[in-house]
């Protein structure tokens, strides 16, 4: 035996297994038994090495699960995967640095992108990413505007009109993706929506500056508690106002989670209505 020979890796061992199966029956029998014995020896060696590592950890005062991936690290890995998937599918990274669809190559993600990403911070807080890009404020995703308390934000705003003076779009804090839904008061008040998705906002222009406030919900839908056989579940009653209705099951155990699940379903299926619906609870 050559003590300096490198141990065979798993792929080479599997190739040996295939070659043994191709041997004549008289040879395959004893070679196969010898190969099985080698595999048992390799497995026993791995068990001994693992036990030795555990003893070394105990001597150093390390926890028994030191060699395993901790729950925190596992969650970071899952959150990172969710972040990268959202960057690819939805395509927002802030500051317009992500290529627009169709995307053929993933861009380089630097350490600064990770540290400065409000989307990644949002996912790390346990919140689901929106299925569409939110408004940005000076280059950073502005989730608070969509989901926070309805308050008036002081903004830097400009209305862009066509040749006939009709207001078309607005630029707010360097984000030019705002559409004018309605001109409420010529030159001073406008109803806006970002890219035709999400809540409606009222923009008020005055001599001292501009303010932006989210409008209250325009419609209401029912979330119902259903009990069958001792099990509780929640459903969203969804449909147009003409009486046709769908019953959407919600994966939730509480009213709060049910409303959150309903909001996400609306954001994914009817983004133009997201943030414009008030939920009524029915037991």
């Amino acid at each position: 035996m050559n003590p300096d020979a490198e141990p065979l890796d798993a792929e080479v061992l599997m190739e040996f297994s295939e070659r043994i199966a191709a041997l004549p029956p008289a040879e395959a029998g004893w070679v196969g038994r010898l190969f099985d014995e080698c595999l048992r020896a390799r497995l026993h060696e791995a068990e001994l090495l693992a036990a030795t590592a555990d003893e070394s950890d105990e001597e150093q005062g390390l926890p028994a699960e030191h060699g395993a991936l901790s729950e925190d690290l596992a969650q970071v890995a899952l959150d990172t995967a969710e972040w990268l998937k959202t960057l690819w599918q939805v395509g927002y990274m802030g500051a317009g640095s992500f290529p627009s669809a169709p995307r053929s190559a993933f861009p380089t993600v630097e350490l600064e992108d990770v540290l400065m990403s409000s989307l990644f911070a949002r996912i790390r807080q346990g919140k689901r990413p929106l299925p569409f890009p939110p408004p940005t404020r000076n280059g950073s995703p502005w989730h608070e505007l969509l989901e926070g308390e309805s308050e008036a934000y002081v903004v830097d705003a400009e209305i862009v009109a066509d040749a006939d003076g009709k207001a078309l779009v607005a630029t707010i804090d360097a984000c030019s993706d705002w559409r004018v839904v309605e001109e409420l008061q010529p030159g001073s008040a406008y109803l806006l929506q970002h890219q035709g998705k999400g809540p409606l906002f009222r923009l008020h222009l005055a001599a001292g500056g501009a303010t932006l406030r989210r409008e209250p919900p325009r419609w209401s839908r029912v979330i119902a508690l259903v009990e069958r056989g001792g099990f509780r579940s929640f459903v969203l009653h969804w449909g147009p106002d003409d009486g046709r209705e769908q019953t959407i099951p919600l994966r939730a155990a509480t009213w709060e989670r049910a409303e959150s699940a309903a909001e996400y379903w609306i954001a994914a299926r009817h983004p133009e209505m997201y943030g414009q619906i008030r939920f009524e609870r029915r037991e």
Side-chain angles (χ1 to χ4, degrees), residues 25 58 84 97 103 111 119 127 130 183 203 242 250 276:
E58 291 177 1
L84 296 176
S97 60
R103 288 173 281 279
L111 176 61
L119 171 62
K127 299 178 181 179
L130 291 174
E183 188 172 10
L203 176 66
D242 60 5
L250 302 174
Q276 301 183 55

Side-chain angles (χ1 to χ4, degrees), residues 30-187:
W30 70 268
V31 175
R33 291 186 61 186
L34 181 60
F35 181 68
D36 290 341
E37 191 64 29
C38 291
L39 291 180
R40 278 193 289 270
R42 174 66 67 86
L43 180 60
H44 182 61
E45 178 188 32
E47 292 174 348
L48 290 176
L49 290 174
T52 303
D54 289 342
E55 291 175 0
S56 176
D57 287 345
E58 291 177 1
E59 292 175 358
Q60 299 178 41
L62 297 176
E65 66 273 12
H66 173 66
L69 187 65
S70 70
E71 291 183 0
D72 289 341
L73 287 178
Q75 188 60 57
V76 170
L78 291 173
D79 290 344
T80 302
E82 181 72 15
W83 178 53
L84 296 176
K85 183 181 74 173
T86 304
L87 293 182
W88 181 258
Q89 293 181 345
V90 181
Y92 68 97
M93 196 172 182
S97 60
F98 202 85
S100 59
R103 288 173 281 279
S104 58
F106 205 94
T108 301
V109 178
E110 304 291 349
L111 176 61
E112 183 180 4
D113 296 321
V114 178
L115 298 177
M116 300 298 293
S117 173
S118 60
L119 171 62
F120 187 54
R122 171 187 176 84
I123 295 173
R124 291 291 295 133
Q125 293 169 3
K127 299 178 181 179
R128 299 185 70 174
L130 291 174
F132 54 83
T136 60
R137 190 177 201 184
N138 299 319
S140 297
W142 198 0
H143 291 99
E144 184 182 7
L145 181 66
L146 300 181
E147 303 170 335
E149 296 294 331
S150 180
E151 60 179 273
Y153 291 90
V154 177
V155 295
D156 182 12
E158 179 185 1
I159 296 294
V160 179
D162 61 13
D164 297 326
K166 180 182 179 181
L168 299 178
V169 297
T171 299
I172 299 176
D173 285 344
C175 179
S176 58
D177 294 327
W178 290 91
R179 301 178 184 177
V180 176
V181 177
E182 182 181 353
E183 188 172 10
L184 303 174
Q185 296 178 2

